[in-house]
Amino acid sequence: MSDALAIETQGLSLGYVGPNEPVRVLSGVDLAVGKGEFLTILGPSGCGKSTFLRAVADLIPIIDGRLSVLGEAPSDARRRRQVAFVFQEATLLPWRTVKQNIELPLQVGKRNVLRSANPRPDHWLGLVGLSHLSGRYPHQLSGGQRQRVAIARALQCEPEILLMDEPFGALDEITRDRLNDELLAIWRETGATILFVTHSVTEAIYLGGSVLVLAANPGRVQALIDLSSVKDHNGLCRRESAEVQEVAAHLRQLLREGGA
Ligand SMILES: Nc1ncnc2c1ncn2[C@@H]1O[C@H](COP(=O)(O)OP(=O)(O)O)[C@@H](O)[C@H]1O
Ligand SMILES: [Mg+2]
């Protein structure tokens, strides 16, 4: 296993406990994600996108094959708090302020070795543009602001790998586009490896260095597409550009073929 890889799988199968034998969701996944990469993931509903992220986060066991996270077993990576998760719903504690919500992983993780000797909730709040709201409660925030808190909370652990499962799926388009730019800035600042599941083809292209397309029935890898050809030297692209539209059409075709 290479040191430069954040995630490496070989013949990986994932699924859930069934009445007799495990029900397979994804099979034969061979994938290598380099450290610091931004990988977006597209695929029809139910093909196993969330299941894949859960396995990386060590929330479900592996059925077959190999999965290495930062060169070690997923359970070891999790124990060292190297992996953080952001979900579609921000799952904030309603009785804690914004700042107290962000401090939470530090308190839950007291017994673990913290990666940062100097916890910086204010720094992460600033990075997601919420310094002025640190004393508010979750019900006093918009959907976009709540997702920013969830991202700041994940960053507080200084994870090497950030797993994001449709984090902006419930937001309006303008807010989503703005958060896309903020996330790219955060990615550059932290150097984290990001795995980002989305239903939006445009979002997958805009954010990703490459995009993984999963297919359903049976769940499998359909394609891994490098996006560097549509990005400028800053890693950015224009959503309306002809190159982006062309890749988007190709991805939509793949999604149709894959059972979307
Ligand atoms: N806890 C679970 N137990 C049993 N089956 C599950 C569980 N979670 C998901 N599944 C099944 O696994 C398949 C993939 O689910 P999921 O990874 O959530 O898909 P996606 O995120 O791509 O929409 C679906 O058929 C779903 O019904
Ligand atoms: Mg899902």
Side-chain angles (χ1 to χ4, degrees):
M1 299 262 160
S2 160
D3 276 355
L5 291 180
I7 291 160
E8 189 173 19
T9 75
Q10 285 158 358
L12 178 67
S13 293
L14 299 172
Y16 298 92
V17 178
N20 303 311
E21 52 187 41
V23 179
R24 260 169 217 264
V25 171
L26 276 173
S27 304
V29 177
D30 295 314
L31 183 70
V33 183
K35 282 186 184 165
E37 274 187 41
F38 198 133
L39 179 76
T40 48
I41 303 175
L42 285 171
S45 262
C47 71
K49 302 180 294 298
S50 298
T51 299
F52 180 64
L53 295 196
R54 281 182 207 126
V56 173
D58 190 41
L59 298 174
I60 57 167
I62 290 164
I63 293 184
D64 210 357
R66 286 169 64 85
L67 167 60
S68 153
V69 179
L70 297 164
E72 55 191 6
S75 54
D76 292 328
R78 180 175 66 145
R79 213 166 291 126
R80 296 202 289 122
R81 301 179 69 78
Q82 305 230 354
V83 183
F85 220 129
V86 177
F87 303 94
Q88 179 165 355
E89 298 299 332
T91 62
L92 304 175
L93 297 180
W95 60 87
R96 298 180 69 116
T97 65
V98 164
K99 186 166 173 180
Q100 288 166 345
N101 264 285
I102 291 174
E103 287 167 339
L104 190 66
L106 295 171
Q107 297 177 4
V108 171
K110 234 182 241 164
R111 291 217 211 129
N112 296 301
V113 179
L114 283 175
R115 292 167 49 67
S116 168
N118 177 24
R120 307 179 286 166
D122 294 321
H123 171 77
W124 302 117
L125 266 178
L127 200 60
V128 298
L130 286 186
S131 302
H132 60 301
L133 299 181
S134 71
R136 287 223 190 153
Y137 288 88
H139 76 273
Q140 299 170 316
L141 303 175
S142 70
Q145 289 166 341
R146 278 199 291 272
Q147 273 319 57
R148 287 189 178 94
V149 178
I151 291 168
R153 184 179 54 185
L155 294 172
Q156 170 72 75
C157 309
E158 300 195 24
E160 280 204 42
I161 300 180
L162 187 55
L163 306 173
M164 307 187 81
D165 198 351
E166 303 186 37
F168 308 145
L171 304 178
D172 65 87
E173 200 175 344
I174 308 248
T175 306
R176 173 191 278 221
D177 289 355
R178 190 179 306 138
L179 281 171
N180 279 182
D181 285 323
E182 287 177 15
L183 182 60
L184 284 177
I186 287 167
W187 174 58
R188 285 199 196 91
E189 154 136 0
T190 60
T193 308
I194 300 185
L195 269 57
F196 186 104
V197 172
T198 177
H199 275 297
S200 160
V201 168
T202 313
E203 185 173 55
I205 297 171
Y206 190 75
L207 290 176
S210 44
V211 53
L212 177 71
V213 185
L214 299 180
N217 305 315
R220 65 200 184 277
V221 172
Q222 191 178 17
L224 178 64
I225 293 173
D226 179 71
L227 294 168
S228 53
S229 65
V230 303
K231 304 289 172 91
D232 66 17
H233 59 282
N234 291 317
L236 294 172
C237 63
R238 281 190 315 111
R239 296 178 178 84
E240 322 69 44
S241 74
E243 297 93 325
V244 167
Q245 293 305 320
E246 199 174 307
V247 176
H250 178 51
L251 287 171
R252 289 199 181 94
Q253 176 66 31
L254 286 172
L255 287 169
R256 276 193 295 275
E257 289 166 11

